[in-house]
Amino acid sequence: MLNIITGLRDTEWLVYILEEFSRSNRVEFPIQVISPESSISSSNVIIYNENPLEGVCIPDRSYKQPDGKTRKISRDLFIIEGTEGEDNRFTCEYDLFWNAFVFLSRLEEYESEKKGGKIQSYSFKHPRKDKTTFDIPVVNHFFDELEKIIKTNFPELPFGRKQDPVIEYSHDVDYVQKTLQLRLKQTAFNVFKTFKSISSPIRFTEQAKKTVKFFFSNPSYWCFNYWEEIEKKAHVRSVFYVYAKTGKKDLKSWMLDHSYDVVKNIDLQNRLKCLIQEGFEVGLHGSFYSATDEERLVEEKNKLEESIGTKVQKTRQHWLKYKEMITPYIHNKLFKYDSTLGWNDRMGFRSGIAGRYRPYDHKNQRPFDYMITPQVIMDANIFDYGADLIKPLSVKATELLANLCQFKSAYVSVSWHQRVCNSDYRWHELYEQILVLEGHESK
């Protein structure tokens, strides 16, 4: 037994972070949070207090609300400014617990949305000033530091062995054929990329040619066979996130949502059923509006399940659309796993962790029941939003995945759109490189 002694009135968040630490670092002993007045028989005690006391003591700076400012204290570690212990008598020089909670619970995003902020899965809209902090799974490092403190001071408390990292490969099925909507939408984005490269005449000319070619070309977008073939060779079974059309569309949803109808597309139904028989999975790719419309998402889930003949337990919202005050409450009712929490405009760790975890319900001060599988890499992070830096970003992507082996129970999602292995995109080559990374168990 490990006892965390604290004078905090509100301990729900602390209990939550200790439970996630126990799961992540494979703790094999109970941890309880108690008040200073409690009588205990165990000598295994960590004191969480504002001022340094005798024994193992971590500074309590939970009164410090995040304001967008962080301080880097090592290559792989940063903290909220103002959460330092300011006394060398503390066992840890910063408030490890509060920092872990702020980043894992995404408190910054919750508070931003309460004030009217609309992050919508774009890191540049996040209130944190230093966006490079998203490159670091800082919560894992906090948890490893806590494990080190426990092993040093209470060596009899057991931990489980490190597990092999798990990469959940996935594909968002946005289009099964090239539509007018896609031509217009992608061409507009390609024009933007073209003018971004205007400082380099060669790159500008190349990008302009690609933009024109994309609009007029007509390659096949039915790429299921390709993914099945290369993934079987790599002993991988990925998740296909599939859209289910419901109701009427306005102009915005006509442009942004998918155009196929899984209920009417018998060829698609049969292909998905074959994939399921081969061990692949199908999840729901919720429409643009469904992230904030429970009735719509329920209908989409039901239609997809009826079409493929099996229950759907996983989801990822289209465009990674997510509203703090609504979306997690809907997902908690309908799914076991969600892979929406990633960034559209960059790779990295939106929640600061490289492992599955329960998201936190700030309103009711408790964790949700369902699990998040962090999406850490999406093809568009590199080839759309990072079009000028494809080579260095490709290296960064492989390094990010290779570094997962240092953590106790890494579990992340990688997403490549179903349609991108053709002459319009040719984004699949990096995916093939990622598939053959050594040291990863893929599921």
Side-chain angles (χ1 to χ4, degrees):
M1 170 76 75
L2 176 65
N3 299 286
I4 311 295
I5 298 180
T6 178
L8 285 176
R9 291 183 180 179
D10 167 23
T11 60
E12 286 83 359
W13 69 265
L14 181 56
V15 171
Y16 162 72
I17 212 66
L18 291 168
E19 289 174 349
E20 294 305 312
F21 161 69
S22 295
R23 182 196 344 274
S24 176
N25 284 50
R26 310 198 66 217
V27 171
E28 295 182 344
F29 53 88
I31 304 176
Q32 66 175 354
V33 177
I34 59 177
S35 68
E37 295 78 24
S38 302
S39 58
I40 55 172
S41 57
S42 171
S43 59
N44 301 327
V45 172
I46 293 178
I47 302 171
Y48 183 47
N49 195 61
E50 285 191 46
N51 302 306
L53 299 174
E54 292 294 327
V56 182
C57 190
I58 292 177
D60 173 11
R61 299 293 181 266
S62 58
Y63 53 80
K64 173 62 180 176
Q65 292 299 304
D67 59 3
K69 298 177 182 177
T70 56
R71 184 170 76 85
K72 201 160 188 176
I73 58 177
S74 69
R75 186 175 68 90
D76 293 321
L77 200 60
F78 65 91
I79 59 173
I80 303 163
E81 268 194 14
T83 57
E84 300 87 345
E86 300 170 350
D87 193 310
N88 58 17
R89 289 178 293 168
F90 283 112
T91 306
C92 186
E93 65 176 282
Y94 56 90
D95 187 339
L96 185 155
F97 296 132
W98 181 242
N99 276 281
F101 175 74
V102 168
F103 300 124
L104 186 63
S105 73
R106 296 170 35 260
L107 178 61
E108 295 158 298
E109 295 189 40
Y110 176 78
E111 293 296 337
S112 174
E113 189 171 295
K114 280 204 307 182
K115 298 173 184 176
K118 295 181 180 180
I119 295 173
Q120 295 289 22
S121 301
Y122 288 94
S123 66
F124 73 88
K125 296 182 179 181
H126 194 282
R128 197 182 308 162
K129 293 177 174 58
D130 184 358
K131 311 305 181 186
T132 64
T133 54
F134 295 117
D135 296 340
I136 302 171
V138 66
V139 175
N140 292 97
H141 290 292
F142 290 138
F143 286 169
D144 288 348
E145 183 62 26
L146 181 56
E147 179 176 337
K148 187 187 303 181
I149 290 171
I150 294 170
K151 284 182 173 180
T152 300
N153 294 279
F154 319 113
E156 71 279 8
L157 295 177
F159 287 82
R161 298 179 62 183
K162 184 170 72 68
Q163 298 174 321
D164 290 332
V166 176
I167 302 173
E168 183 176 88
Y169 294 93
S170 62
H171 310 285
D172 293 351
V173 184
D174 287 355
Y175 298 92
V176 294
Q177 62 183 16
K178 196 167 184 178
T179 65
L180 173 62
Q181 295 97 310
L182 178 61
R183 291 178 196 272
L184 295 173
K185 183 172 61 178
Q186 187 66 47
T187 298
F189 196 87
N190 287 345
V191 169
F192 169 73
K193 289 192 293 182
T194 300
F195 282 99
K196 266 186 70 177
S197 63
I198 198 167
S199 60
S200 170
I202 295 177
R203 195 161 66 242
F204 177 84
T205 302
E206 291 176 350
Q207 185 61 50
K209 289 179 179 177
K210 289 179 182 178
T211 300
V212 173
K213 181 182 178 182
F214 177 88
F215 187 81
F216 291 104
S217 66
N218 195 34
S220 171
Y221 276 21
W222 189 269
C223 301
F224 296 101
N225 294 345
Y226 166 78
W227 301 115
E228 181 180 9
E229 180 181 346
I230 66 166
E231 289 173 0
K232 279 184 175 180
K233 287 181 181 178
H235 307 290
V236 165
R237 297 297 185 269
S238 60
V239 184
F240 287 85
Y241 288 101
V242 178
Y243 164 73
K245 183 179 180 181
T246 61
K248 296 181 179 179
K249 292 182 179 291
D250 59 17
L251 180 60
K252 189 172 185 178
S253 61
W254 178 83
M255 177 62 75
L256 297 179
D257 273 340
H258 324 74
S259 299
Y260 64 87
D261 188 344
V262 70
V263 174
K264 297 180 179 179
N265 192 327
I266 304 303
D267 289 340
L268 178 58
Q269 288 183 23
N270 291 336
R271 193 70 188 89
L272 294 173
K273 289 175 183 178
C274 288
L275 287 168
I276 292 169
Q277 290 175 356
E278 293 295 326
F280 294 83
E281 295 181 79
V282 173
L284 177 64
H285 199 35
S287 64
F288 186 79
Y289 287 128
S290 68
T292 55
D293 186 337
E294 180 175 347
E295 184 178 345
R296 185 188 294 258
L297 195 62
V298 168
E299 186 179 357
E300 290 175 4
K301 183 174 185 287
N302 290 339
K303 284 184 177 293
L304 179 59
E305 289 176 342
E306 291 169 7
S307 298
I308 62 176
T310 189
K311 291 292 183 182
V312 172
Q313 297 183 334
K314 296 182 177 181
T315 188
R316 179 185 291 141
Q317 292 296 147
H318 184 42
W319 226 276
L320 305 184
K321 196 173 181 203
Y322 193 92
K323 190 171 179 61
E324 292 292 332
M325 309 300 180
I326 302 176
T327 310
Y329 297 92
I330 302 175
H331 287 184
N332 198 51
K333 295 178 183 179
L334 299 178
F335 303 100
K336 289 186 177 180
Y337 303 101
D338 176 24
S339 188
T340 301
L341 288 177
W343 293 123
N344 279 312
D345 57 338
R346 70 180 301 128
M347 292 181 284
F349 305 92
R350 182 170 177 176
S351 308
I353 194 166
R356 273 184 170 165
Y357 71 96
R358 296 172 302 167
Y360 193 72
D361 179 355
H362 290 280
K363 180 180 177 181
N364 297 299
Q365 296 187 315
R366 64 190 182 196
F368 289 103
D369 296 322
Y370 73 100
M371 302 286 288
I372 296 292
T373 306
Q375 179 183 283
V376 297
I377 303 173
M378 177 173 61
D379 50 11
N381 299 151
I382 301 167
F383 297 99
D384 265 342
Y385 292 94
D388 295 336
L389 300 166
I390 289 177
K391 287 186 177 179
L393 287 177
S394 298
V395 171
K396 182 178 178 179
T398 55
E399 289 177 347
L400 183 155
L401 296 177
N403 288 336
L404 295 176
C405 62
Q406 65 185 296
F407 303 119
K408 269 287 186 68
S409 53
Y411 201 124
V412 301
S413 175
V414 170
S415 175
W416 250 246
H417 288 80
Q418 185 270 155
R419 68 184 186 275
V420 299
C421 52
N422 56 45
S423 57
D424 271 354
Y425 296 92
R426 306 195 66 84
W427 292 357
H428 59 288
E429 294 172 0
L430 176 58
Y431 186 86
E432 292 187 16
Q433 294 176 32
I434 291 173
L435 274 182
V436 299
L437 278 174
E438 297 181 1
H440 292 287
E441 177 189 355
S442 304
K443 292 185 179 179

